[in-house]
Amino acid sequence: YFPKLIEALPGPGKWMETFKQLMAFPLLLTVVWLLNILGKSTGLSTVIWILVGLIILAIGLWVYGKYSSQLSLSLKHKVFSYSALLICFLIFFKLSHQHIESNDSPKAAAQFPKEIHGIKYQPFDPIIALNYVKNGKNVFIDYTAVWWAICQTNEQFVLHTEEVSNKFKELGIVTMVADWSNKDNWILGDFLFEIGQSSIPSYPIILGSKNGEIHFLPNQLSPPIPPSVAKNDFITTLEKLINPTR
């Protein structure tokens, strides 16, 4: 208990109303961030329909605010305002649910490889991965999802950096990405559980040079751990697995 801190707080006043209004802007930025994640997960058309739904919801809130004033004693106005809000909310819910459930565009996009610093990340397929392993190749798998901030942070600060990409290239490692943004993808889920993991991010590496041994690289790569420390730890572990005598 720190009574001196309470004394330092400003007294009630008009600033509280201004502060409340200012806090709306971080909430709006949060909506933008969530829509960005939704767009990556389900496609642009879903985001557009969500925005349409939000505008309809905003109309309902506007009607509610205009006609449900405590100063108004008109029952007709109150019924109208509550009905408008309820109808707009139901329309918003229907549009959002329908388009989130039905959109399949990311599944098609996930079939294409992506290249980062000269390293090609192939979409993960267990059969293709095991064929690489049978041919003596070492296969690294990035189990990730666009909606999970830790996965995205790990990629930005470590996995997709030039230093780590160069190390993958130097060691001749095949890189694959298992994008689990759509958790209905039971193939990715089953393989993850099969190798003893139940959550993401997860970074298994299957060593074709050691008869298919499976090891796991560090996944605690995000701040507050400094990026340079996380990169060095990841690269060191990778080198020890591939060249233990080094």
Side-chain angles (χ1 to χ4, degrees), residues 3 6 20 26 40-41 53 58-59 63 79-82 84-85 104 123 171 184-186 196 205 215 224 239:
I6 296 177
K20 181 179 74 173
K40 290 178 179 178
S41 302
I59 292 171
V63 171
V79 171
F80 174 68
S81 64
Y82 282 104
L85 180 59
D104 293 329
L171 297 174
D184 289 336
N185 191 328
W186 58 271
I205 182 167
H215 296 267
E239 286 181 325

Side-chain angles (χ1 to χ4, degrees), residues 177-226:
V177 58
D179 189 343
W180 210 21
S181 299
N182 176 15
K183 295 197 81 172
D184 289 336
N185 191 328
W186 58 271
I187 295 176
L188 297 185
D190 282 358
F191 187 84
L192 185 66
F193 299 143
E194 196 69 33
I195 61 176
Q197 298 288 288
S198 58
S199 62
I200 56 174
S202 182
Y203 305 124
I205 182 167
I206 309 174
L207 301 177
S209 57
K210 296 183 180 179
N211 299 317
E213 286 183 15
I214 300 176
H215 296 267
F216 296 93
L217 292 162
N219 62 358
Q220 301 296 323
L221 306 173
S222 305
I225 300 174

